[in-house]
Amino acid sequence: MPETLSLHSPGAELTDLIRRVSVARRVVVVTGAGISVNCGIPDFRSSTGLFQQIRAAHGDLVTSGRDLFDASVVFRSAETADVFYHWMTHLRRQCAGAQPGAVHRFIRQLADRGTLLRSYTQNIDGLERKAGLSVWDPYSAKGDAEHVPWQTAQSVPLHGTMEHLSCQLCSSSYHFSEQPNKSAIRAGDECPDCQTRSQVREACGRRSLATGKLRPTVVLYEEPHPHCEDIAKIISHDARALGTRRSKQPQDVVLVFGTTLKVPGCRQLVRKLATASPETTLTVFVNNEPVCGKSWDGIVDYQVIGNVEDWCARVERKWGVQTKITQWAKTRKSGASVASASSSKAKPKAVVTEKENRPVAVAASNEASSNHPATKKRKSSNCSDSSTGVRGSEATVKRKRQRSSTPSTPPPVAEPLLPIRRSLRIATQQNHVYCHSPVSICL
């Protein structure tokens, strides 16, 4: 039996479970009629649900309210069919006036956060579309604005919707209007396409054709699903997406809200999604009453007893805390980057001298080498030559003698040893000669 937790007695295990759900990488949500009760739409099986209301109003026709949603009973007579159309019209008006609840907004937040893989709903109220989710509708044409391909659809109605009416004979579909005016197409009306074809044949002198009646595009008990292959393809796609996970952190999550799991198709859906990758997928069932027994061992990990809206509110509060921490971390990181940028701007850059187009550090090393005694001696000899007026040839001989008398070992020079080009100005009495010969520091 899955581990059972209660929202009314929170503990460390429940807090950790909420944390794991809040950081999930991908989430699949399976919902039932329980999430729409607070929106003003009755469920089916509770003491005040739709089945009990129908039984109280039409106990002479049906033994159970479920019979009015059983295809083998509804269309058995014209009287039961009329009661079915009446209740479908009443339910359509309730759905048109209802607004999305807290759970619908929670699923929309999952989509906005980019973690919603898919939302499967057993409901026929169409509140997912009002919440802003893209809904897969097989009855909408490709050119319609409401048409959404299943690859990009965020919500899949498992049992159809109340948005359209379909002819039981020719399968033509029309919009199900909730307005009680005469021009609106309502449930139980004759199909306009069938009427047109029959009138054309009668005008040509042929016999008339049968005319079908319009019924809501919802799936009843004991009838095949008209789009079961398409839905099976979507479920297989999502199961493969969950099965490709190899890392256990963060986990993928399957959330089951507000359903008793009595419909066989819904049970198979939850089993397939939960067992696609049991090691990396966390399955959580949230409902007011315990539903999962021993048959769900190894499939459902946690069964949380409590209000689904309270559960969603706790996860949203956890998201708020995580968002504040993320914003604080981003602010701190941006502040550190600004400080490092300002410190890098304050660093002095290497200044290049205009005279020699070399860095100051190199000029400083050259200056240190020029202060060496041997270099000073050579400079002083040059100056004395130019001041006493000695001829150029005699000055050259004198310098050669001084070089031969100096020690052969080079004087110590600051690293790095870089060549220096300087111009020697040799002055004579008669003319001036500029010799641009390279002179190294180590002579």
Side-chain angles (χ1 to χ4, degrees), residues 157-221:
L158 298 172
H159 300 155
T161 63
M162 301 284 287
E163 300 287 336
H164 300 279
L165 294 171
S166 176
C167 177
Q168 302 179 57
L169 190 61
C170 67
S171 300
S172 298
S173 61
Y174 301 89
H175 177 70
F176 191 177
S177 176
E178 68 279 2
Q179 302 297 332
N181 49 40
K182 294 182 179 181
S183 61
I185 299 178
R186 295 166 297 182
D189 291 347
E190 292 185 349
C191 174
D193 284 355
C194 292
Q195 287 181 336
T196 302
R197 282 193 294 268
S198 180
Q199 292 171 1
V200 170
R201 285 181 61 89
E202 289 178 356
C204 296
R206 299 181 180 181
R207 64 178 178 85
S208 62
L209 297 176
T211 303
K213 287 193 174 183
L214 301 178
R215 54 161 288 187
T217 55
V218 296
V219 182
L220 302 178
Y221 293 107

Side-chain angles (χ1 to χ4, degrees), residues 105-116 131-133 154:
R105 292 190 293 270
F106 172 80
I107 299 174
R108 171 61 190 271
Q109 288 191 58
L110 287 173
D112 293 341
R113 292 170 63 89
T115 58
L116 180 66
L133 297 174
Q154 297 169 335

